Amino acid sequence: MNSDQVTELRKAHITGTMVAYYFICHRKLWLFAKGLNLENISGNADVIKGRILHETRFNRENNKEVAFDTVKIDFLHYNGQVYVHEVKKSKKFEEAHTWQLKYYIYMLQEKGVNCSAGVIHYPSSMRREEVNFSPWDRELLMKALAEIQAVLSKPLPEKKAGRKMCSRCAYFDFCYI
């Protein structure tokens, strides 16, 4: 990807949440990007549990809620290099979580920060997943970001996915009622 394409991606204001939604549901990604953020207003039990976990875990960390550009990282840790930490409710969307964290690592690297790894914490199951960011990941992420831009440029969202996971989504009523 050349520097002009990277500049265009920055102008698209892609967030980590959008990267995660790309790996979960393109319709959800499109709706969220267009300003329909049902997770902040819904009474969805999974959303509420996730918010409580996020607010109550890792309270002693100094670098909580680090934000810049379109990035909002749960917390950072420094041990010779910067490590990105994300807190998630469950491993249900582990691939999406992994790419969201890799996006944060990429954005930090673009700012000149020495960062090539992070950790996803799943406090409910007392698990953590180490994530490393390689040159190959950078290439795959660039392709995903270009595809995200393509999804967002469509005049209408994609059709309903109709998968089992849809019934627990905060966007369910919007898509199915």
Side-chain angles (χ1 to χ4, degrees):
M1 181 168 279
N2 65 40
S3 63
D4 290 339
Q5 291 170 312
V6 171
T7 302
E8 283 302 310
L9 287 174
R10 283 200 183 110
K11 288 181 191 173
H13 299 290
I14 295 172
T15 67
T17 301
M18 289 179 190
V19 172
Y21 286 177
Y22 169 76
F23 287 94
I24 296 169
C25 174
H26 291 185
R27 181 177 177 87
K28 184 175 184 173
L29 164 63
W30 190 93
L31 293 167
F32 175 81
K34 301 303 180 187
L36 190 61
N37 187 354
L38 296 179
E39 294 199 349
N40 281 343
I41 60 172
S42 77
N44 184 298
D46 288 332
V47 172
I48 293 167
K49 286 177 192 173
R51 189 171 293 126
I52 290 169
L53 261 179
H54 180 76
E55 292 171 359
T56 60
R57 298 297 177 123
F58 303 100
N59 285 332
R60 290 186 231 148
E61 292 300 325
N62 293 327
N63 300 312
K64 273 190 91 165
E65 305 236 342
V66 176
F68 63 94
D69 295 342
T70 61
V71 172
K72 187 175 175 188
I73 298 169
D74 288 347
F75 67 96
L76 297 174
H77 177 77
Y78 183 78
N79 187 13
Q81 77 163 333
V82 172
Y83 290 88
V84 177
H85 292 261
E86 278 294 302
V87 180
K88 300 295 183 184
K89 184 180 73 62
S90 77
K91 291 181 73 160
K92 184 176 179 180
F93 299 114
E94 186 174 8
E95 179 186 21
H97 301 156
T98 298
W99 284 105
Q100 180 179 5
L101 192 136
K102 287 180 180 190
Y103 175 69
Y104 293 157
I105 294 169
Y106 162 76
M107 292 295 286
L108 285 166
Q109 287 179 352
E110 287 295 299
K111 294 284 187 188
V113 175
N114 180 20
C115 180
S116 62
V119 179
I120 304 170
H121 299 271
Y122 298 101
S124 295
S125 60
M126 300 298 287
R127 298 188 58 103
R128 53 184 269 150
E129 295 295 326
E130 302 281 334
V131 175
N132 292 303
F133 189 74
S134 70
W136 175 246
D137 290 328
R138 176 180 286 270
E139 199 173 305
L140 293 175
L141 182 61
M142 292 298 100
K143 288 178 185 174
L145 292 173
E147 290 173 16
I148 289 169
Q149 210 171 15
V151 168
L152 301 183
S153 69
K154 293 180 180 177
L156 295 171
E158 293 194 17
K159 294 185 183 200
K160 298 178 274 194
R163 297 182 291 207
K164 183 179 176 185
M165 70 177 182
C166 292
S167 64
R168 298 201 51 173
C169 178
Y171 290 78
F172 179 82
D173 289 345
F174 184 84
C175 293
Y176 290 91
I177 293 180

